[in-house]
Amino acid sequence: MYAIVDIAGKQYKVEKDKFVYAPLIEGDEGSKVDFKNVLLVDNDGKVKVGTPTVKGSVVSGKILEHVQGDKVIVFKKKRRKGYKKKNGHRQQFSKVLIEDIK
């Protein structure tokens, strides 16, 4: 059984007892979270597609920890002008354990 869920504008394929690294979610580590924007549910070959969401479907999970992603380097240069700019950042993620798909 799996589902396609919209979390913060991004779509994720989630399965029970698996981890998902989603964009930073408000809440403490160990707290429960419910995702109500379920776009598709596959239950052993029986597929329900939402228009735009599946009514009555909820994916529940638990926030395990808040982590940072790999460093992303942003380098800008204009040739023969002497212009170089180097910036970078690390994206914030929440590690979520999917507990149930209803």
Side-chain angles (χ1 to χ4, degrees):
M1 179 174 201
Y2 72 89
I4 306 292
V5 181
D6 183 7
I7 303 172
K10 297 182 180 179
Q11 296 177 7
Y12 295 93
K13 179 181 177 182
V14 297
E15 296 181 28
K16 187 176 178 184
D17 298 328
K18 300 242 175 145
F19 300 107
V20 173
Y21 287 97
L24 190 64
I25 298 171
E26 303 252 342
D28 296 328
E29 295 178 2
S31 63
K32 303 272 183 183
V33 63
D34 289 334
F35 303 111
K36 295 182 173 123
N37 291 335
V38 180
L39 305 175
L40 180 138
V41 176
D42 181 6
N43 189 2
D44 299 326
K46 297 178 183 176
V47 179
K48 293 181 187 175
V49 179
T51 55
T53 60
V54 178
K55 301 228 189 285
S57 292
V58 176
V59 174
S60 59
K62 178 177 161 183
I63 298 174
L64 296 179
E65 60 182 334
H66 299 295
V67 296
Q68 287 185 334
D70 295 334
K71 185 176 274 191
V72 177
I73 303 296
V74 179
F75 184 74
K76 299 177 183 180
K77 179 181 178 182
K78 296 189 179 180
R79 62 186 195 156
R80 296 188 300 270
K81 305 291 187 231
Y83 173 78
K84 289 191 280 186
K85 178 79 74 176
K86 181 178 177 182
N87 284 324
H89 73 281
R90 294 181 70 183
Q91 191 70 33
Q92 302 285 325
F93 292 105
S94 294
K95 185 176 181 180
V96 179
L97 173 66
I98 303 301
E99 293 181 333
D100 192 25
I101 300 173
K102 296 178 187 172

